[in-house]
Amino acid sequence: MAAMHTTALVLFSGGQDSTTCLAHALSRYARVETVAFDYGQRHHIELGARLNVLRELRTQFPAWGAKLGDDHLLDLAVLGSVSDTSLTRDTAFKMEASGLPNTFVPGRNLLFLTLAAALAYRRGLQVLVTGVCETDYSGYPDCRDDTMKAMQLALSRGMDQRFLIETPLMWIDKAETWELARTLGDKSGVANGGPALVDLIIEHTHTCYLGDREHRHAWGYGCGTCPACELRAKGYAGFSASLNKASLPAA
Ligand code: ZN
């Protein structure tokens, strides 16, 4: 009997989370394509980073490169005209009275998933993989597990095709996301694959809200002080601490 789910479309922004999700999909599925959305981000650095990550994955992980198919970039400039957010406009980050950060774009992930499903339908891809997470919770209601399950049902019914929305990071924290990358790298069969994937993520992915590629830290490039950098740095510190603990010689 043929496996039900063998092909995937990864929502791939070029950040740490979506790169880890892409590695997850490449370790699991026979054919994997990627999609990103250009919605007038304040910095196009992230969109450039994703091309570098794709290139490095193909070069450093040939077995994965063989499964990696087309990359799609969809223009979503319309998001900038319906939402006033610090991600699309030149305003400072802060918490709103609603308790949500002003980086929140209402319905953004719902739109992303709907367009991704339409693309997956056309490309014959069955699984949608996205790096949303409830654990290091940024307060985005469209990243919640229940939202994903509702979307899976709505998209599957609405397009009369059985889609699976896969969220490998939903219940793990940022330190565990680094550890997942290390584990996935090990399974790729490349010598020192684990560190190679972690190194690739450090060097080539981009997370910083301010688009800083000048300052290099142990965890990668970024301003070091925006909420995205703080989260990434804290996660990496936790990951390093657990690695060091594991590698201590027995007394
Ligand atoms: Zn930053």
Side-chain angles (χ1 to χ4, degrees), residues 206-212 219 221-230:
H206 186 82
T207 310
C208 175
Y209 282 148
L210 302 182
D212 185 324
W219 44 265
Y221 293 90
C223 70
T225 52
C226 76
C229 280
E230 279 180 358

Side-chain angles (χ1 to χ4, degrees), residues 54-71:
L54 289 174
R55 185 196 63 227
E56 292 298 319
L57 279 175
R58 286 182 207 278
T59 312
Q60 297 186 40
F61 300 88
W64 286 353
K67 300 172 167 188
L68 191 52
D70 287 4
D71 177 44

Side-chain angles (χ1 to χ4, degrees), residues 80-163:
S81 61
V82 295
S83 71
D84 183 15
T85 160
S86 63
L87 279 186
T88 52
R89 296 167 62 94
D90 205 14
T91 50
F93 296 91
K94 61 178 171 64
M95 295 303 283
E96 302 284 8
S98 62
L100 289 169
N102 69 343
T103 47
F104 177 60
V105 181
R108 180 177 56 172
N109 274 324
L110 309 183
L111 203 52
F112 285 1
L113 284 164
T114 303
L115 290 168
L119 181 64
Y121 184 98
R122 183 162 65 76
R123 304 288 302 169
L125 303 165
Q126 301 146 334
V127 184
L128 305 174
V129 185
T130 172
V132 292
C133 172
E134 271 201 29
T135 313
D136 281 323
Y137 194 49
S138 312
Y140 297 158
D142 56 349
C143 291
R144 289 175 187 156
D145 191 50
D146 282 353
T147 308
M148 294 300 114
K149 288 183 163 61
M151 282 304 284
Q152 174 172 299
L153 186 58
L155 294 170
S156 294
R157 290 286 168 88
M159 297 191 196
D160 197 20
Q161 157 142 358
R162 182 76 170 90
F163 288 113

Side-chain angles (χ1 to χ4, degrees), residues 10 19 52 67 71 94 96 106 166 173 194 196 203 239:
V10 179
T19 299
N52 294 336
K67 300 172 167 188
D71 177 44
K94 61 178 171 64
E96 302 284 8
E166 200 171 47
D173 65 20
E203 199 58 37
F239 166 67

